[in-house]
Amino acid sequence: MSETVLELSSVTKRYDDFTAVDDLSVSIPRGSIYGLLGPNGAGKTTTIRMILGIIQPTSGTISVFGEPSALNVRERIGYLPEEKGLYKKMKASAIIAYFASLKGMDRKSAKKRAYELLERYGLKDFADKKTEALSKGMGQKVQVLASIAHDPELVILDEPFSGLDPVNQEVMEEVIRDMAARERTVLFSTHVMQHAERICDRIMLVARGKKAFDGTIAEAKDTLPRRVRIETEDSIEPLRNVPGVVSVLRVDPESPGSHWDIELGESVRAQDILRFCFEHDISLRQFDQSDPTLHDVFVSIVGEDAREASFR
Amino acid sequence: MRNIYLVAAREYAENAKTKGFWIGVFLFPIIIIASIFIQGALERATPTRNFVFLDRSGDFEQHLEDGLQRLHDRDVMKAFGKYVREHSSMGGEAGFSADMLESIPAPDTRELLESIGDGGASLMPAGGIDAALMQIEPFLDDEAPEFEEPRRRFRRVELPGDVPADADLADVARGLKPYLRGKDKFDFEGDSIDLFAAILIPADISEKVQRPGLGAVMSAISGGPPQGIQYWSANLADEELRNEVRNLVNGEVRRREYVTEGMDVDKVQRIEKTRVPFASLNPKKEEGEEAVSLADVIRQWAPVGFVYLLWVAIFTISQMLLNNTIEEKSNRIIEVLLSSVTPNELMLGKLFGIAAVGLTMIGAWIGSGIGVLATRSGPEAEFATQLFAVLRHSGLLPAFVVYFILGYLMYAGIFLAIGGVCNTLKEAQNMMGPVMLILIVPLFTMMFIPKDPNGTLATVMSWIPLYTPFVMMNRAAADPPMFEIVGTFVLLLVSTLLVLWLTGKIFRVGILRTGQAPKLLELVRWVRS
């Protein structure tokens, strides 16, 4: 976690009067798995395309392996675009070999590597099939393999999980972990929080082109207030007076129910609340002090923006 | 450089694998071969035409029979000539050689073939075809098949039973109509036959003879019932019998006129065959060799063939280029490519890869075309030899390569730019309309330009870069002024580079674009950015 592989500083991309990416700065250390999260239209794909040098930022600088353009170091980078497509008439192995050779591998070893990868990830039988004969998921796997065939030091995956069934989503996670285990850096975008939560070291949340959060998963969760949820038929009024309790709110304010969220301040721990309930004879049907999920973080940070964005 | 090569190699390999490519490669030679064979097959497939001939004047019957016999003899001798050429040591790859001919005793087939044009009486060698066959026997190949006499083209048949031969001509015609229309068949010599035509000559035919003067014009424009010879046939396309009959009868009528006027018929016929030698000479050639040869004619017209090839090749491969650019765009392969290569590398790789595909195709066409011609015997072989010679010694081939490359690059650039801004083939086709209209013009002018290769039309078109490759190729044989060759070449080169530069700009912005095709104004902005 020392060397910086990728650095963006104040990167902005404007299309006419629309700002797709606004003053984005981030630095990604070697060997990390970095999640780029955000709602639809947040600027994830634009950011990735700028990192790869496919499009140029309006302002700001990008440094990949210390180079100003990813094209200078393209053989050290692997890329899986958001929209997946392959040459329909080409064989799976030929496509992988072709992309690997474009990344600087010589054609012979590229070919050999293509067969190795297809075998390792269970597509051996399809190696010599034209890709139009593959299912969508298989085609996507082929494309993932094509993006990592030259064993890049930095892999950038745009929505790698979309379109995959649960089993293959796990395979995909495995591929990413494998890469990281060999000191490769993985940057991927997704809007499915579960994947990010499971495999990311660090995440960046973007909303409407701006960085909303950047840090570890734990840090992300810390942005949300700690809370416990209880279910009781008794009065919760005494709890409001416990020092450190910020608020006690009905989970569903619309209808009177027995579920309550208690937001905790810095000075109070969950077991303090539990003890208080025992001592004051508040009978509990449920006591839940689970951490917020990344999903909660996502919704709390970008929820409003996402909703707005979808109606824009 | 390496990336350009890799992209080009893939384009080549993938396109060379497509069905379209192989169809393209084989279709052309197949068409050539087919057109050679079909001609013969069609001749053989035409059935013998049966006709009835009713001469009320009685003046022309014998004459017509003789004439048709001569026609048949001519066919027999033609077939015989071909037979000899194919199955005896007298005919070889390159036809007859002079000393071969001298060593062969009469009948000299070549002389026989030449005498055909005379239309005289001495068509058949003495003793008929059998004698000729006997003489040729020692020279025949061992496995030579029997000589088969060709079928008669026309056969005179009797009137069908239900048509009275002594009735009025109008009634005869009426009675024959069902047969002529193909509705009824009738029996003749044991066969049930179709009637192809009926030729009816009225008794007073000699009074209908028209002589130059007002009367002829008057009767020609006045309608009324048919006068003179009546030729009835439902088949309007096959005019051979009609022409044959008309010529024979007219010839005979004229002969009789000579006699009436008191002229010596033989003398008149001899005079009609006199002629003065007529030589076409080419002022551009060395003294003593000015005679216009087959090679000169080929040289004059070969550019047309090249223009056509150029056109077909540019058209075909530009389409390929457009299609696969749109494929890459529509399934977003382009993004992966662009993370590996620059847009310019991608563009150049595509251009070169597909150009190589096109050159392969053209090479196959030229090769197989010449190959097919060369394996044929007789006049085609001679033509092929001459064609080789022309290709070797004239500057046509290098000129073709140069114009092909520049012309292709320019049009490919245009198509690539279109491919760059469109997302679907449908969109692209809209934009291609105007380009197609521009591209079609050289096809129209292709046949005119050789007739006036340095004329105004040709000169003006040469200076329009879009047409330079076609028109200058078209004019290549006519030695256009050096100023024009160099000038148009430079202009073409500069505009090709300009097109490629613009395409590069448009391509770079356009390939990542999705959604609607851009407006013209937007394109201008892309170029500026």
Side-chain angles (χ1 to χ4, degrees):
Chain A
M1 289 277 179
S2 49
E3 189 193 342
T4 297
V5 170
L6 174 66
E7 180 131 36
L8 276 69
S9 41
S10 310
V11 170
T12 301
K13 179 72 188 178
R14 246 178 241 112
Y15 293 105
D16 298 332
D17 51 350
F18 172 66
T19 305
V21 174
D22 194 359
D23 195 29
L24 202 68
S25 299
V26 69
S27 82
I28 296 176
R30 176 179 292 277
S32 61
I33 301 178
Y34 209 103
L36 183 58
L37 315 179
N40 298 330
K44 300 188 296 278
T45 297
T46 308
T47 305
I48 285 177
R49 284 181 181 172
M50 283 192 288
I51 293 172
L52 288 160
I54 297 174
I55 52 177
Q56 299 305 314
T58 314
S59 64
T61 56
I62 293 170
S63 149
V64 188
F65 296 115
E67 292 282 335
S69 166
L71 290 176
N72 299 343
V73 285
R74 57 166 177 260
E75 64 281 354
R76 297 164 71 183
I77 303 175
Y79 171 47
L80 175 76
E82 179 183 10
E83 286 172 72
K84 279 78 179 174
L86 294 163
Y87 292 107
K88 290 195 208 89
K89 301 283 177 196
M90 268 177 102
K91 289 177 196 162
S93 59
I95 289 189
I96 296 175
Y98 174 56
F99 285 137
S101 69
L102 281 181
K103 293 285 193 183
M105 276 182 103
D106 70 273
R107 292 170 90 180
K108 214 168 166 184
S109 39
K111 190 131 207 158
K112 205 171 135 227
R113 173 98 172 126
Y115 281 101
E116 274 169 25
L117 281 172
L118 286 166
E119 185 164 1
R120 190 192 312 162
Y121 291 102
L123 287 171
K124 192 186 173 194
D125 295 342
F126 297 96
D128 289 321
K129 288 252 163 64
K130 285 183 182 172
T131 59
E132 61 189 348
L134 301 186
S135 73
K136 191 170 171 245
M138 280 194 278
Q140 197 168 331
K141 248 163 128 180
V142 169
Q143 206 175 359
V144 171
L145 297 182
S147 66
I148 61 165
H150 58 298
D151 197 18
E153 292 168 58
L154 170 64
V155 191
I156 297 174
L157 310 167
D158 201 350
E159 300 283 358
F161 298 103
S162 71
L164 293 179
D165 62 40
V167 174
N168 279 310
Q169 285 182 9
E170 266 175 44
V171 174
M172 189 69 231
E173 285 183 16
E174 192 187 307
V175 170
I176 293 174
R177 284 203 197 91
D178 284 353
M179 298 289 293
R182 288 185 297 120
E183 278 295 288
R184 306 298 181 215
T185 312
V186 181
L187 169 68
F188 74 91
S189 78
T190 185
H191 53 246
V192 182
M193 295 304 129
Q194 288 85 330
H195 298 300
E197 193 164 4
R198 274 203 292 276
I199 59 176
C200 284
D201 298 316
R202 295 174 71 86
I203 59 164
M204 172 163 71
L205 271 171
V206 283
R208 300 175 77 174
K210 288 197 180 71
K211 180 163 84 178
F213 173 80
D214 175 20
T216 62
I217 302 272
E219 284 166 355
K221 289 180 178 176
D222 279 350
T223 63
L224 282 190
R226 290 178 305 124
R227 61 182 71 181
V228 293
R229 179 170 290 184
I230 58 171
E231 186 184 352
T232 178
E233 299 297 330
D234 300 333
S235 163
I236 48 86
E237 287 311 313
L239 278 168
R240 290 189 197 278
N241 301 321
V242 177
V245 167
V246 180
S247 67
V248 181
L249 292 170
R250 220 185 269 279
V251 171
D252 184 0
E254 299 290 314
S255 59
S258 47
H259 288 75
W260 301 85
D261 270 342
I262 303 165
E263 188 178 330
L264 306 179
E266 289 292 321
S267 56
V268 64
R269 292 171 304 167
Q271 59 259 51
D272 294 337
I273 302 297
L274 193 59
R275 189 182 311 121
F276 184 87
C277 289
F278 281 139
E279 286 165 4
H280 292 79
D281 204 22
I282 301 174
S283 64
L284 295 172
R285 264 195 228 155
Q286 190 194 337
F287 183 88
D288 180 6
Q289 65 140 8
S290 59
D291 274 346
T293 60
L294 204 52
H295 181 85
D296 299 329
V297 179
F298 182 83
V299 171
S300 103
I301 296 180
V302 302
E304 279 307 304
D305 287 331
R307 208 176 289 268
E308 238 174 80
S310 64
F311 286 112
R312 197 167 45 204
Chain B
M1 254 343 267
R2 181 175 177 272
N3 286 332
I4 296 177
Y5 164 73
L6 285 171
V7 173
R10 193 205 78 89
E11 292 291 342
Y12 185 82
E14 288 309 308
N15 279 295
K17 264 192 251 168
T18 58
K19 285 189 205 81
F21 175 79
W22 289 104
I23 291 173
V25 163
F26 285 115
L27 201 60
F28 192 71
I30 285 173
I31 287 176
I32 292 186
I33 296 169
S35 62
I36 291 173
F37 284 108
I38 283 176
Q39 214 182 342
L42 277 182
E43 263 169 33
R44 281 192 293 277
T46 310
T48 296
R49 309 290 203 186
N50 297 303
F51 66 97
V52 293
F53 181 73
L54 207 58
D55 184 4
R56 285 284 155 79
S57 70
D59 287 348
F60 299 99
E61 193 144 6
Q62 191 53 46
H63 202 73
L64 187 96
E65 301 237 312
D66 289 351
L68 291 180
Q69 183 59 42
R70 274 203 302 280
L71 186 70
H72 179 64
D73 289 350
R74 206 182 305 164
D75 288 346
V76 172
M77 287 320 292
K78 222 191 249 176
F80 179 67
K82 188 159 176 277
Y83 175 77
V84 171
R85 219 164 46 233
E86 281 171 5
H87 298 294
S88 78
S89 50
M90 292 165 71
E93 288 285 297
F96 294 94
S97 73
D99 45 329
M100 255 173 141
L101 280 178
E102 264 156 16
S103 67
I104 297 166
D108 177 339
T109 46
R110 172 157 286 191
E111 197 186 295
L112 281 172
L113 288 171
E114 276 167 2
S115 71
I116 284 164
D118 292 353
S122 64
L123 270 174
M124 266 298 169
I129 195 72
D130 293 337
L133 275 171
M134 262 168 66
Q135 273 174 304
I136 204 75
E137 174 90 64
F139 301 97
L140 284 181
D141 299 338
D142 294 340
E143 66 271 30
E146 287 275 307
F147 174 70
E148 249 180 85
E149 206 176 301
R151 237 181 348 193
R152 269 178 194 280
R153 277 192 265 178
F154 307 108
R155 179 171 63 160
R156 187 179 167 192
V157 297
E158 300 292 330
L159 278 178
D162 60 338
V163 182
D166 49 359
D168 188 54
L169 275 191
D171 293 331
V172 173
R174 207 170 294 125
L176 285 172
K177 268 182 189 168
Y179 301 104
L180 285 167
R181 283 187 196 140
K183 264 163 53 188
D184 291 343
K185 293 182 176 226
F186 65 100
D187 290 330
F188 177 72
E189 290 176 357
D191 291 330
S192 176
I193 58 166
D194 287 314
L195 190 61
F196 173 73
I199 300 147
L200 311 177
I201 301 183
D204 59 348
I205 186 71
S206 54
E207 288 156 33
K208 298 276 165 54
V209 173
Q210 289 167 0
R211 295 180 179 79
L214 198 59
V217 181
M218 288 312 291
S219 69
I221 56 178
S222 72
Q227 306 200 328
I229 303 174
Q230 297 175 26
Y231 173 82
W232 295 84
S233 177
N235 188 332
L236 301 179
D238 189 346
E239 297 186 327
E240 208 179 348
L241 179 63
R242 196 188 73 178
N243 294 340
E244 206 65 44
V245 171
R246 193 173 52 195
N247 290 342
L248 285 170
V249 176
N250 278 338
E252 178 60 15
V253 168
R254 278 175 205 152
R255 198 187 62 81
R256 287 178 196 167
E257 288 286 293
Y258 295 137
V259 176
T260 331
E261 299 284 326
M263 287 188 258
D264 181 345
V265 177
D266 286 345
K267 207 186 252 171
V268 168
Q269 280 179 348
R270 252 199 329 276
I271 291 168
E272 276 180 350
K273 279 178 195 141
T274 54
R275 61 193 178 102
V276 183
F278 187 90
S280 301
L281 299 172
N282 188 342
K284 287 178 193 155
K285 294 175 83 181
E286 294 293 312
E287 192 160 338
E289 296 172 358
E290 292 108 326
V292 172
S293 62
L294 180 60
D296 292 326
V297 178
I298 293 177
R299 198 169 300 129
Q300 198 72 28
W301 287 98
V304 176
F306 278 117
V307 172
Y308 190 65
L309 273 184
L310 191 65
W311 192 89
V312 172
I314 286 180
F315 185 81
T316 323
I317 62 185
S318 299
Q319 291 275 1
M320 276 186 210
L321 196 62
L322 183 70
N323 284 350
N324 81 19
T325 306
I326 289 187
E327 184 195 1
E328 279 170 5
K329 254 199 94 169
S330 65
N331 60 19
R332 314 304 289 167
I333 295 171
I334 207 96
E335 275 191 53
V336 189
L337 289 174
L338 289 183
S339 71
S340 310
V341 302
T342 62
N344 277 334
E345 285 172 335
L346 180 62
M347 187 180 91
L348 291 175
K350 282 175 157 308
L351 283 177
F352 292 140
I354 300 218
V357 174
L359 281 174
T360 310
M361 204 184 268
I362 296 178
W365 291 347
I366 295 179
S368 60
I370 290 175
V372 167
L373 284 178
T375 54
R376 304 283 302 170
S377 58
E380 291 103 336
E382 196 171 321
F383 183 79
T385 321
Q386 295 283 1
L387 193 62
F388 278 130
V390 169
L391 292 184
R392 260 205 310 276
H393 299 303
S394 66
L396 285 178
L397 216 51
F400 177 74
V401 171
V402 168
Y403 285 126
F404 169 79
I405 290 173
L406 287 177
Y408 159 73
L409 284 178
M410 176 150 57
Y411 280 98
I414 294 172
F415 278 71
L416 209 52
I418 293 177
V421 299
C422 297
N423 291 306
T424 62
L425 217 48
K426 211 171 170 188
E427 253 175 65
Q429 266 152 6
N430 280 339
M431 295 183 88
M432 265 164 54
V435 182
M436 285 297 148
L437 279 182
I438 292 173
L439 197 48
I440 210 103
V441 173
L443 269 193
F444 290 129
T445 57
M446 180 169 84
M447 298 307 284
F448 300 124
I449 287 175
K451 290 182 184 154
D452 191 10
N454 293 323
T456 315
L457 176 73
T459 312
V460 169
M461 281 183 69
S462 302
W463 287 96
I464 303 172
L466 282 169
Y467 296 136
T468 307
F470 301 108
V471 179
M472 285 308 281
M473 191 67 227
N474 230 177
R475 299 170 65 190
D479 298 328
M482 193 42 111
F483 162 71
E484 283 184 36
I485 298 181
V486 176
T488 55
F489 174 77
V490 170
L491 186 65
L492 175 64
L493 188 69
V494 169
S495 35
T496 301
L497 292 176
L498 185 73
V499 165
L500 288 182
W501 178 76
L502 285 174
T503 300
K505 290 259 183 188
I506 292 173
F507 193 71
R508 198 157 58 219
V509 186
I511 38 179
L512 281 176
R513 232 186 97 105
T514 49
Q516 273 195 315
K519 304 251 169 9
L520 198 63
L521 212 70
E522 254 176 287
L523 282 181
V524 175
R525 205 158 3 129
W526 292 3
V527 170
R528 288 223 191 103
S529 68

